[in-house]
Amino acid sequence: MTLWGKLEAQFGIDAHADQFHDVFSSRPYLISNMSPHKIHGVDLLEGEWGKEGAIICWKYFYDGSVLVAKEVIETIDNVNLLTVFKVIEGDVLKEYKSFKLTVQATPKGEGSVVRWTFEYEKIHENIRDPYSLLEFIVQVSKDVSAYLVKCSNK
């Protein structure tokens, strides 16, 4: 069994790709308003919102517990609507030596296609692949999309 892994999820949303990208790349602090049952807060610890190198801390409710993830925003690509987060501290690193999340939104018709990619290294071979965490982030993404669509229809 390999310790390195990569998971991907791709799905359609109704929100525009540029709006969706803007939330995750520049204004993730809004996500706690868009998905309050899952995301309890996103705080800026270092740097500036919307800038590469910014360090943010997520507080989220997952698997029956409130957890935290401290991440550095490694890449913000406003042309390809892509953002890369690298986990540097937090609950995820109890099971994984490294964990990187990439989100990309691509325009499609009136909405977009979102792709999340997780790249990780498990601490040992008995750790499960993070399928449920991927499903969690898909649900958060759908909450964000629904919120953006609702706001644009007002």
Side-chain angles (χ1 to χ4, degrees):
M1 177 181 260
T2 182
L3 297 178
W4 289 93
K6 182 175 181 178
L7 294 179
E8 290 187 355
Q10 184 171 304
F11 53 95
I13 60 170
D14 294 327
H16 294 283
D18 57 340
Q19 292 177 324
F20 184 86
H21 168 70
D22 181 61
V23 168
F24 279 92
S25 67
S26 299
R27 301 182 302 148
Y29 55 87
L30 295 176
I31 298 172
S32 61
N33 295 327
M34 299 173 171
S35 187
H37 299 299
K38 296 175 188 76
I39 305 299
H40 291 187
V42 183
D43 298 314
L44 180 66
L45 302 178
E46 254 181 65
E48 292 180 49
W49 291 116
K51 302 288 185 188
E52 292 175 351
I55 296 176
I56 59 177
C57 183
W58 298 78
K59 293 178 196 89
Y60 58 102
F61 187 77
Y62 170 72
D63 200 24
S65 299
V66 176
L67 304 174
V68 296
K70 187 174 173 183
E71 299 175 345
V72 62
I73 299 176
E74 286 193 333
T75 305
I76 297 175
D77 180 341
N78 292 321
V79 173
N80 294 304
L81 307 179
L82 177 137
T83 306
V84 179
F85 302 91
K86 179 182 178 185
V87 180
I88 56 175
E89 286 181 29
D91 293 292
V92 169
L93 297 184
K94 292 177 183 174
E95 295 185 333
Y96 301 93
K97 287 182 185 177
S98 64
F99 206 96
K100 191 176 284 194
L101 306 89
T102 302
V103 60
Q104 183 173 23
T106 305
K108 183 172 184 185
E110 294 295 311
S112 341
V113 174
V114 173
R115 177 186 310 222
W116 277 97
T117 305
F118 288 1
E119 296 174 83
Y120 52 90
E121 181 184 4
K122 300 175 195 177
I123 290 177
H124 57 77
E125 62 186 29
N126 295 327
I127 301 291
R128 293 185 201 174
D129 292 314
Y131 288 106
S132 66
L133 189 58
L134 184 59
E135 182 56 35
F136 172 83
I137 201 71
V138 167
Q139 292 306 315
V140 170
S141 299
K142 290 179 179 181
D143 290 348
V144 169
S145 172
Y147 187 95
L148 291 170
V149 169
K150 183 175 132 186
C151 287
S152 68
N153 289 334
K154 286 186 176 181

